[in-house]
PDB file of all heavy atoms in Angstrom:
ATOM      1  N   HIS A 481     -79.413 -14.724 -27.922  1.00  0.00           N
ATOM      2  CA  HIS A 481     -79.778 -13.419 -27.406  1.00  0.00           C
ATOM      3  C   HIS A 481     -80.688 -12.671 -28.371  1.00  0.00           C
ATOM      4  O   HIS A 481     -81.683 -12.038 -27.976  1.00  0.00           O
ATOM      5  CB  HIS A 481     -78.510 -12.603 -27.138  1.00  0.00           C
ATOM      6  CG  HIS A 481     -78.780 -11.212 -26.656  1.00  0.00           C
ATOM      7  ND1 HIS A 481     -79.318 -10.926 -25.403  1.00  0.00           N
ATOM      8  CD2 HIS A 481     -78.623 -10.014 -27.275  1.00  0.00           C
ATOM      9  CE1 HIS A 481     -79.458  -9.643 -25.271  1.00  0.00           C
ATOM     10  NE2 HIS A 481     -79.018  -9.037 -26.407  1.00  0.00           N
ATOM     11  N   LEU A 482     -80.365 -12.764 -29.668  1.00  0.00           N
ATOM     12  CA  LEU A 482     -81.195 -12.095 -30.681  1.00  0.00           C
ATOM     13  C   LEU A 482     -82.584 -12.720 -30.739  1.00  0.00           C
ATOM     14  O   LEU A 482     -83.600 -12.017 -30.871  1.00  0.00           O
ATOM     15  CB  LEU A 482     -80.513 -12.152 -32.040  1.00  0.00           C
ATOM     16  CG  LEU A 482     -79.227 -11.327 -32.181  1.00  0.00           C
ATOM     17  CD1 LEU A 482     -78.584 -11.604 -33.535  1.00  0.00           C
ATOM     18  CD2 LEU A 482     -79.505  -9.828 -32.018  1.00  0.00           C
ATOM     19  N   LEU A 483     -82.655 -14.077 -30.667  1.00  0.00           N
ATOM     20  CA  LEU A 483     -83.968 -14.743 -30.737  1.00  0.00           C
ATOM     21  C   LEU A 483     -84.824 -14.368 -29.544  1.00  0.00           C
ATOM     22  O   LEU A 483     -86.028 -14.149 -29.646  1.00  0.00           O
ATOM     23  CB  LEU A 483     -83.774 -16.273 -30.778  1.00  0.00           C
ATOM     24  CG  LEU A 483     -83.157 -16.820 -32.091  1.00  0.00           C
ATOM     25  CD1 LEU A 483     -82.884 -18.321 -31.954  1.00  0.00           C
ATOM     26  CD2 LEU A 483     -84.165 -16.561 -33.257  1.00  0.00           C
ATOM     27  N   SER A 484     -84.189 -14.301 -28.361  1.00  0.00           N
ATOM     28  CA  SER A 484     -84.962 -13.946 -27.178  1.00  0.00           C
ATOM     29  C   SER A 484     -85.464 -12.501 -27.265  1.00  0.00           C
ATOM     30  O   SER A 484     -86.557 -12.161 -26.823  1.00  0.00           O
ATOM     31  CB  SER A 484     -84.098 -14.102 -25.915  1.00  0.00           C
ATOM     32  OG  SER A 484     -82.947 -13.238 -25.985  1.00  0.00           O
ATOM     33  N   LYS A 485     -84.686 -11.667 -27.903  1.00  0.00           N
ATOM     34  CA  LYS A 485     -85.075 -10.286 -28.080  1.00  0.00           C
ATOM     35  C   LYS A 485     -86.265 -10.156 -29.013  1.00  0.00           C
ATOM     36  O   LYS A 485     -87.222  -9.402 -28.791  1.00  0.00           O
ATOM     37  CB  LYS A 485     -83.885  -9.461 -28.550  1.00  0.00           C
ATOM     38  CG  LYS A 485     -84.140  -7.978 -28.589  1.00  0.00           C
ATOM     39  CD  LYS A 485     -82.870  -7.253 -28.989  1.00  0.00           C
ATOM     40  CE  LYS A 485     -83.144  -5.730 -28.973  1.00  0.00           C
ATOM     41  NZ  LYS A 485     -81.924  -4.990 -29.368  1.00  0.00           N
ATOM     42  N   ASP A 486     -86.222 -10.994 -30.115  1.00  0.00           N
ATOM     43  CA  ASP A 486     -87.313 -10.938 -31.081  1.00  0.00           C
ATOM     44  C   ASP A 486     -88.644 -11.460 -30.466  1.00  0.00           C
ATOM     45  O   ASP A 486     -89.727 -10.920 -30.700  1.00  0.00           O
ATOM     46  CB  ASP A 486     -86.971 -11.765 -32.320  1.00  0.00           C
ATOM     47  CG  ASP A 486     -85.813 -11.098 -33.094  1.00  0.00           C
ATOM     48  OD1 ASP A 486     -85.594  -9.872 -32.904  1.00  0.00           O
ATOM     49  OD2 ASP A 486     -85.105 -11.805 -33.862  1.00  0.00           O
ATOM     50  N   SER A 487     -88.486 -12.533 -29.668  1.00  0.00           N
ATOM     51  CA  SER A 487     -89.695 -13.111 -29.077  1.00  0.00           C
ATOM     52  C   SER A 487     -90.306 -12.157 -28.062  1.00  0.00           C
ATOM     53  O   SER A 487     -91.543 -12.063 -27.933  1.00  0.00           O
ATOM     54  CB  SER A 487     -89.342 -14.439 -28.408  1.00  0.00           C
ATOM     55  OG  SER A 487     -88.361 -14.216 -27.370  1.00  0.00           O
ATOM     56  N   SER A 488     -89.513 -11.430 -27.372  1.00  0.00           N
ATOM     57  CA  SER A 488     -90.055 -10.494 -26.406  1.00  0.00           C
ATOM     58  C   SER A 488     -90.784  -9.326 -27.105  1.00  0.00           C
ATOM     59  O   SER A 488     -91.763  -8.775 -26.606  1.00  0.00           O
ATOM     60  CB  SER A 488     -88.917  -9.951 -25.511  1.00  0.00           C
ATOM     61  OG  SER A 488     -87.961  -9.261 -26.277  1.00  0.00           O
ATOM     62  N   SER A 489     -90.244  -8.982 -28.264  1.00  0.00           N
ATOM     63  CA  SER A 489     -90.883  -7.884 -29.009  1.00  0.00           C
ATOM     64  C   SER A 489     -92.243  -8.316 -29.556  1.00  0.00           C
ATOM     65  O   SER A 489     -93.174  -7.531 -29.670  1.00  0.00           O
ATOM     66  CB  SER A 489     -89.962  -7.390 -30.129  1.00  0.00           C
ATOM     67  OG  SER A 489     -89.730  -8.439 -31.035  1.00  0.00           O
ATOM     68  N   LEU A 490     -92.365  -9.620 -29.920  1.00  0.00           N
ATOM     69  CA  LEU A 490     -93.636 -10.114 -30.430  1.00  0.00           C
ATOM     70  C   LEU A 490     -94.658 -10.196 -29.300  1.00  0.00           C
ATOM     71  O   LEU A 490     -95.836  -9.970 -29.458  1.00  0.00           O
ATOM     72  CB  LEU A 490     -93.455 -11.489 -31.102  1.00  0.00           C
ATOM     73  CG  LEU A 490     -92.643 -11.434 -32.408  1.00  0.00           C
ATOM     74  CD1 LEU A 490     -92.408 -12.882 -32.886  1.00  0.00           C
ATOM     75  CD2 LEU A 490     -93.390 -10.648 -33.479  1.00  0.00           C
TER      76      LEU A 490
END
Side-chain angles (χ1 to χ4, degrees):
H481 178 69
L482 292 174
L483 290 174
S484 60
K485 188 177 182 180
D486 292 339
S487 60
S488 61
S489 62
L490 292 174

